[in-house]
């Protein structure tokens, strides 16, 4: 899948890079869906000898290819929620020198980055590469509920039902963009939903 | 620049103090303790902070930064420990030879450019010689909050191991002393290897030691943000040079043994500063015109800035050449 070029935006919006191999005593890869392709691009046998891959396929079938890289440890989880305790455990036992590589959707990278930061890695030292869906993880600023995989702007909050405008204002702590009621002044006056980057 | 309130004079605010004790610790190092002349408490500080001590040395006024090494919880006293440097520019010699108990002095409010990262899961301190001083305050601060720390302290000889006695007595399991002339050395790779994720390392000592810790850390995959260092540069002597201060409309000559900042101050021009050691960024000055070569020694400017010839840090950097004009 080709990579998407996010349009330039406000400072709050995360920017993603391209994974590169770094020196370290261990390599932790956390990826979902098409993020597998970024791992396949960067992997070397030396890295894989000390690598732990945590992969959430989300319907994609890269699992066999990743396994064929022969990482020291490989785990495939059905969802991020199902994998997060493993991620926390791996980080809790990890030593300085561990390199963290996050790739796939923004929601996956944001949440995994949060775990890595809480474990003591500065966010600037965590590598990310966006692949696959450009859907966003959104927080409703009104009810605080999170709606995953939002593809359109505006969208309806899956918790309180308000019509929300998709902002580029991002919270690293919540790993979510902010959604703000679009028809507060004039209830019912909601523009037609379109793709976030259309 | 931040919107700090306009101050009457450059540098941090001054405090009038009396020297309450002068305690020689070994052949080279003496501790100086200060109390406020107005009897009030000192402002609170955090481990790693320094104060700038003003010395009236004849008609020359010296301003030298020293790490506060007293317990941050005790605000009745500030203490610094000064290593005598016989080859230095004279500040430490002045302290050793001219300052005695009961003297009045002026020091500045504390400024911290080397603070603990309190998000750290563990703090590893690496000290070389007199580089122990900021860690003395950091250790007391962490002990109060039950912080997780260890100290690796390298000294030239057992006799010159300033504070090794108190430290090993109080914290026998956390303090590791390495004595140079007994061929003991910090095994840095082994030490950094296997530290828990979220460990921060702090190094204070000679430049070679600082570079060694940064280089070994990055080789072992430590993020730069987790390796902290402090090195106060003393301004280096050099060939005298002439400088035109455009805003003040003055032309001055920087002497061999003074810094550009000191020469500017001597001419009665109030120039900003905090650390006087090339690390805080406060003294950054724009170059209006130049014909010659800059000797940049600071840790503040980016390499591009150094190469551009458009900026200089007058507290530590110099110039060789025909002409230098500053926006000051
Ligand atoms: S006074 Fe701090 S860098 Fe010059």
């Amino acid at each position: 899948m080709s990579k998407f070029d996010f349009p330039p935006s406000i400072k709050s919006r995360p920017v993603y890079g391209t994974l590169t191999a770094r020196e370290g005593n261990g390599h932790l890869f956390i990826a979902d869906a098409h993020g597998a392709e970024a791992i396949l691009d960067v992997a070397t046998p030396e890295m894989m000898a000390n690598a732990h891959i945590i992969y959430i396929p989300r319907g994609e079938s890269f699992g066999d290819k990743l396994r064929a890289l022969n990482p020291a440890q490989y785990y495939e989880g059905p969802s991020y929620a199902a994998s997060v305790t493993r991620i926390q455990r791996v980080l809790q036992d990890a030593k300085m020198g561990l390199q963290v590589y996050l790739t796939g959707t923004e929601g996956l990278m944001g949440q995994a980055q949060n775990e890595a930061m809480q474990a003591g890695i500065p966010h600037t030292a965590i590598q990310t590469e966006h692949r696959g869906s450009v859907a966003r993880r959104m927080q409703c600023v009104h009810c605080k509920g999170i709606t995953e995989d939002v593809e359109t702007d505006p969208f309806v909050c899956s918790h309180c039902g308000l019509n929300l405008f998709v902002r580029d204002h991002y919270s690293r702590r919540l790993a979510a963009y902010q959604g703000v009621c679009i028809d507060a002044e004039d209830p019912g006056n909601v523009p037609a939903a379109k793709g976030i980057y259309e | 620049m931040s919107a700090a309130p306009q101050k009457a004079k450059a540098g941090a605010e001054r405090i009038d103090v009396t020297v309450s004790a002068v305690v020689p610790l070994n052949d080279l190092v003496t501790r100086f303790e200060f109390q406020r002349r107005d009897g009030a408490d000192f402002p609170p500080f955090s481990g790693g902070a320094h104060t700038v001590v003003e010395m009236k040395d004849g008609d020359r006024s010296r301003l030298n930064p020293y790490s506060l090494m007293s317990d941050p919880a005790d605000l009745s006293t500030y203490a610094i420990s000064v290593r005598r440097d016989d080859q230095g520019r004279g500040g430490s010699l002045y302290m050793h030879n001219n300052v005695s108990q009961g003297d009045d002095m002026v020091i500045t409010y504390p400024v911290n450019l080397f603070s603990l990262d309190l998000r750290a899961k563990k703090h590893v301190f690496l000290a070389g010689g007199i580089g122990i001083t900021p860690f003395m305050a950091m250790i007391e601060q962490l002990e109060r909050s039950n912080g997780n720390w260890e100290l690796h302290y390298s000294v030239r000889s057992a006799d010159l191991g300033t504070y090794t006695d108190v430290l090993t007595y109080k914290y026998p399991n956390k303090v590791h002393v390495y004595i140079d002339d007994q061929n003991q050395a910090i095994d840095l790779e082994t030490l950094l290897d296997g530290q828990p994720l979220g460990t921060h390392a702090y190094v204070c000592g000679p430049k070679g030691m600082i570079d060694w810790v940064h280089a070994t850390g990055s080789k072992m995959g430590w993020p730069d943000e987790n390796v902290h260092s402090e090195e106060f540069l003393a301004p280096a002597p050099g060939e005298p040079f002439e400088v035109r201060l455009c805003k003040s409309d003055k032309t001055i000559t920087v002497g061999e043994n003074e810094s550009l900042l000191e020469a500017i101050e001597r001419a009665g021009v109030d120039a900003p500063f905090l650390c006087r050691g090339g690390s805080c960024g406060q003294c950054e000055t724009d170059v209006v015109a130049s014909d010659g070569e800059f000797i940049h020694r600071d840790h503040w400017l980016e390499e591009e800035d150094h190469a551009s010839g458009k900026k200089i840090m007058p507290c530590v950097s110099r110039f060789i050449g025909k002409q230098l004009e500053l926006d000051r």
Side-chain angles (χ1 to χ4, degrees):
Chain A
M1 183 177 253
S2 65
K3 290 176 72 174
F4 184 76
D5 269 331
F6 293 107
S9 179
I10 55 172
K11 218 173 173 184
S12 165
R13 194 210 194 294
V15 205
Y16 307 102
T18 303
L19 301 186
T20 51
R22 286 209 188 133
E23 284 201 68
N25 56 12
H27 305 274
L28 173 62
F29 292 88
I30 305 174
D32 70 353
H34 286 274
E37 293 175 323
I39 302 181
L40 293 167
D41 284 353
V42 75
T44 61
E46 299 80 69
M47 271 171 110
M48 286 300 123
N50 284 310
H52 189 156
I53 299 180
I54 294 177
Y55 180 57
I56 299 136
R58 306 189 68 179
E60 302 298 333
S61 49
F62 292 100
D64 289 344
K65 284 191 180 149
L66 289 176
R67 243 186 233 107
L69 293 173
N70 229 347
Q73 289 184 76
Y74 180 77
Y75 167 84
E76 215 171 275
S79 65
Y80 182 79
S83 314
V84 70
T85 45
R86 184 183 185 96
I87 292 170
Q88 287 164 345
R89 184 57 206 248
V90 170
L91 289 167
Q92 186 190 320
D93 294 345
K95 306 290 180 225
M96 287 301 286
L98 176 77
Q99 302 301 316
V100 175
Y101 308 80
L102 311 175
T103 173
T105 62
E106 291 199 71
L108 176 279
M109 291 189 285
Q111 292 176 87
Q113 173 177 274
N114 215 338
E115 295 298 335
M117 280 166 60
Q118 279 174 40
I121 309 181
H123 71 93
T124 43
I126 301 167
Q127 290 195 63
T128 53
E129 177 168 343
H130 176 265
R131 294 281 184 129
S133 162
V134 295
R136 293 189 183 187
R137 178 176 148 89
M138 300 292 306
Q139 189 208 37
C140 170
V141 305
H142 310 281
C143 79
K144 310 298 174 197
I146 299 272
T147 305
E148 301 279 355
D149 298 318
V150 171
E151 285 175 341
T152 63
D153 178 21
F155 72 103
V156 175
C157 174
S158 59
H159 298 253
C160 69
L162 283 179
N163 295 302
L164 301 179
F165 160 56
V166 172
R167 293 206 54 202
D168 274 357
H169 182 180
Y170 183 79
S171 160
R172 212 180 275 145
R173 180 178 62 89
L174 300 167
Y177 290 93
Q178 309 292 287
V180 184
C181 184
I182 201 166
D183 57 344
E185 310 279 317
D186 185 6
N189 183 5
V190 181
K194 54 181 182 51
I196 293 174
Y197 300 98
E198 276 169 32
Chain B
M1 284 289 107
S2 68
Q6 223 43 53
K7 273 174 297 189
K9 218 172 154 205
E13 261 181 80
R14 290 0 185 224
I15 308 172
D16 292 332
V17 298
T18 303
V19 179
S20 52
V22 176
V23 186
L25 299 164
N26 54 42
D27 278 355
L28 291 178
V29 180
T30 297
R31 181 171 70 237
F32 297 87
E33 298 180 5
F34 303 111
Q35 263 156 27
R36 280 178 78 125
R37 267 181 259 163
D38 62 9
D41 271 353
F42 279 108
F45 70 101
S46 49
H50 71 266
T51 179
V52 174
V53 178
E54 289 189 19
M55 303 168 207
K56 294 267 172 285
D57 187 0
D59 53 3
R60 180 163 181 184
S61 113
R62 301 174 181 280
L63 297 166
N64 281 18
Y66 293 103
S67 297
L68 290 171
M69 46 77 54
S70 43
D71 182 350
D74 175 8
L75 297 179
S76 67
T77 305
Y78 272 2
I80 60 172
S81 293
V82 180
R83 180 185 186 279
R84 197 183 75 224
D85 182 356
D86 296 319
Q87 261 77 58
R89 298 181 338 122
S92 67
L93 276 178
Y94 178 88
M95 290 299 291
H96 277 254
N97 298 338
N98 299 55
V99 173
S100 28
Q101 191 180 345
D103 286 1
D104 283 348
M105 293 189 88
V106 174
I107 66 175
T108 67
Y109 265 56
V111 170
N112 201 340
L113 302 173
F114 187 48
S115 54
L116 292 165
D117 189 326
L118 293 173
R119 296 166 301 181
K121 311 276 181 222
K122 181 178 174 185
H123 307 268
V124 174
F125 300 135
L126 298 149
I130 194 63
I132 189 64
T133 49
F135 299 130
M136 299 294 288
M138 288 180 174
I139 286 170
E140 293 310 306
Q141 180 182 339
L142 283 181
E143 276 297 299
R144 270 201 182 74
S145 54
N146 207 15
N148 184 8
W149 62 272
E150 65 189 43
L151 168 71
H152 298 267
Y153 179 18
S154 148
V155 299
R156 209 187 305 162
S157 65
D159 288 347
L160 290 175
T162 316
Y163 299 119
T164 49
D165 47 353
V166 242
L167 287 167
T168 44
Y169 176 77
K170 277 172 91 173
Y171 312 112
N173 301 321
K174 294 179 170 181
V175 170
H176 308 266
V177 176
Y178 305 79
I179 303 173
D180 248 12
D181 69 3
Q182 296 177 20
N183 287 324
Q184 300 169 351
I186 299 177
D187 181 358
L188 189 58
E189 291 202 15
T190 312
L191 180 63
L192 294 184
D193 187 27
Q195 294 291 351
L197 202 63
T199 301
H200 283 243
Y202 305 78
V203 51
C204 186
K207 181 169 168 33
M209 179 178 190
I210 293 175
D211 294 347
W212 174 55
V213 173
H214 280 290
T216 311
S218 43
K219 196 176 77 190
M220 296 179 66
W222 283 52
D224 258 1
E225 291 86 338
N226 291 49
V227 182
H228 312 259
S229 56
E230 176 157 85
E231 183 201 10
F232 283 131
L233 295 168
E239 288 291 305
F241 59 100
E242 212 168 73
V243 189
R244 168 111 194 111
L245 306 176
C246 296
K247 275 199 203 134
S248 336
D249 191 19
K250 283 186 178 167
T251 301
I252 59 169
T253 303
V254 182
E256 181 183 343
N257 286 309
E258 67 182 344
S259 68
L260 172 53
L261 177 62
E262 288 166 339
I264 295 174
E265 290 168 341
R266 190 166 47 78
V269 174
D270 199 31
F273 71 87
L274 274 182
C275 71
R276 305 181 80 86
S279 50
C280 74
Q282 198 71 20
C283 67
E284 184 176 316
T285 305
D286 289 332
V287 175
V288 177
S290 70
D291 178 6
E293 189 196 328
F294 288 90
I295 307 168
H296 291 294
R297 296 181 61 245
D298 61 275
H299 296 313
W300 173 258
L301 295 173
E302 304 291 338
E303 261 166 49
E304 304 96 80
D305 293 329
H306 282 163
S308 74
K310 293 273 171 255
K311 286 183 188 303
I312 187 167
M313 307 303 285
C315 64
V316 290
S317 298
R318 301 183 72 92
F319 182 80
I320 299 179
K322 283 208 197 78
Q323 176 216 16
L324 176 63
E325 280 183 37
L326 298 181
D327 183 32
R328 181 66 70 209

